Amino acid sequence: MNPRLITNYHTHTVFCDGMAEPVCYADEAVRQGMASLGFSAHASVNFPTNWTINPARLGAYRNDIHRLKREYADSLDIYCGLEADYFPDIFEEVRALYSGYQWDYIIGSVHFTGVRPNGRRWCIDGPHEDFLEGWRELTDCDPLLPVRRYFEITREMVRVMKPDIIGHMDKIKIQYRPDCMVPDTHPFFREQVMATLEEIAASGCIVEVSTRGIQKAQTPDYFPGRWAVAEMQKMGIPVTVSSDAHTPATLVFGFSRAETMLRETGYRTVMMLKNGKWEERPI
Ligand SMILES: [Zn+2]
Ligand SMILES: [Zn+2]
């Protein structure tokens, strides 16, 4: 793997729930010999969370990354993006919070799949207990409905929001337990993934192959899983490799394994930003 070709467009810093300042990621990227580095703070939302960027901090975030862009211009291509959620009910209000700025790219990711009776959003990317509370309240303990809701919202996101990159496409699978939800090997889960991939293939969006899943012992799989990546290859869906890094130490975590997996499934190129434009580069 030629280090000069490594890119990662999915990283979180202290501006949201990451552990380090942006400059620490830039230094690590240079140390790794990376070609480009993209920052993707969790975009602002209009309800309280402890992991999205405060709307009042968006300008500072953008200025900080753009300063690094200039300072590192000779050694590293730096980009300033966001990882934004899609909400069927409040998307326009939420988008208005961050659309006043120009972003190099948007990663569209689904973290919420409904509104709970207490008014809080049902989150699929937090502790399993929280997921279960929403599951009991909103699905009548249905093992299929969380999967259906998650992928329905993802498909609507592809159509309405049209993000540049689809983030952790099948992340709902982290909530799988035999007593509450079907696994990603279940026919219904696979049918939902396939319907989503068809929508993505028609849209031209890039899908990230995230190594975040293999960083955690309880879910030793990529997002999306290898079987889905093989389907994506047949459908001609372009990919990037990312780690959803919340620390500089995980900036290129699992990247050579991911590239090997991509080659084994038939991929010969991944997408990278060059002078602000998406281009294919060989793997
Ligand atoms: Zn995410
Ligand atoms: Zn992320």
Side-chain angles (χ1 to χ4, degrees):
M1 190 172 183
N2 180 347
R4 281 304 301 158
L5 295 174
I6 303 177
T7 65
N8 187 350
Y9 303 109
H10 196 151
T11 63
H12 299 284
T13 70
V14 289
F15 280 99
C16 54
D17 60 346
M19 297 297 150
E21 296 285 341
V23 67
C24 304
Y25 293 78
D27 285 341
E28 178 62 16
V30 170
R31 211 179 65 76
Q32 296 280 350
M34 286 171 63
S36 58
L37 169 67
F39 292 95
S40 58
H42 286 291
S44 310
V45 292
N46 61 359
F47 53 89
T49 76
N50 55 10
W51 49 275
T52 52
I53 185 168
N54 182 326
R57 300 267 291 149
L58 282 167
Y61 166 62
R62 206 178 164 280
N63 288 343
D64 213 33
I65 307 304
H66 279 256
R67 180 178 54 78
L68 290 179
K69 240 186 223 247
R70 293 188 295 273
E71 284 176 15
Y72 285 74
D74 292 339
S75 46
L76 180 66
D77 239 358
I78 291 181
Y79 294 97
C80 184
L82 288 176
E83 179 183 14
D85 257 273
Y86 178 74
F87 304 94
D89 54 338
I90 52 167
F91 174 56
E92 287 306 336
E93 294 119 272
V94 169
R95 177 155 67 177
L97 295 173
Y98 58 82
S99 60
Y101 297 95
Q102 189 92 40
W103 305 101
D104 292 326
Y105 61 90
I106 299 283
I107 301 174
S109 298
V110 174
H111 302 93
F112 299 99
T113 44
V115 183
R116 294 174 49 187
N118 63 8
R120 286 176 52 204
R121 298 252 153 198
W122 182 27
C123 184
I124 62 96
D125 199 9
H128 186 61
E129 262 318 304
D130 287 356
F131 169 80
L132 279 182
E133 284 173 19
W135 176 70
R136 289 190 198 101
E137 292 163 355
L138 296 177
T139 80
D140 231 358
C141 300
D142 186 322
L144 304 181
L145 209 56
V147 176
R148 180 192 295 279
R149 288 292 300 143
Y150 177 83
F151 286 109
E152 272 174 3
I153 295 171
T154 304
R155 292 195 287 273
E156 194 174 311
M157 174 177 84
V158 171
R159 288 193 299 272
V160 176
M161 181 183 179
K162 301 181 180 71
D164 301 278
I165 302 173
I166 309 298
H168 46 70
M169 199 269 297
D170 62 358
K171 197 166 194 184
I172 183 88
K173 71 187 176 193
I174 64 170
Q175 299 297 350
Y176 162 69
R177 305 289 187 281
D179 54 351
C180 69
M181 202 182 85
V182 294
D184 74 334
T185 48
H186 189 281
F188 181 78
F189 196 109
R190 298 217 160 178
E191 185 189 299
Q192 288 297 308
V193 168
M194 290 308 291
T196 306
L197 291 181
E198 271 160 36
E199 199 88 55
I200 291 170
S203 74
C205 294
I206 297 166
V207 171
E208 70 168 2
V209 173
S210 170
T211 62
R212 175 84 161 157
I214 61 170
Q215 292 168 41
K216 298 193 172 181
Q218 78 271 24
T219 58
D221 197 6
Y222 302 94
F223 304 125
R226 186 191 172 106
W227 76 271
V229 173
E231 295 296 335
M232 284 158 45
Q233 195 277 331
K234 287 185 231 158
M235 297 166 91
I237 295 175
V239 291
T240 60
V241 179
S242 66
S243 67
D244 203 344
H246 287 65
T247 61
T250 52
L251 203 50
V252 296
F253 183 93
F255 274 30
S256 6
R257 262 187 287 167
E259 272 206 19
T260 303
M261 187 272 285
L262 282 171
R263 283 194 65 83
E264 285 168 1
T265 57
Y267 272 100
R268 292 294 173 264
T269 61
V270 297
M271 302 304 287
M272 73 183 288
L273 275 170
K274 257 232 171 106
N275 304 316
K277 297 252 180 305
W278 290 104
E279 283 183 12
E280 284 183 282
R281 64 109 173 141
I283 54 171

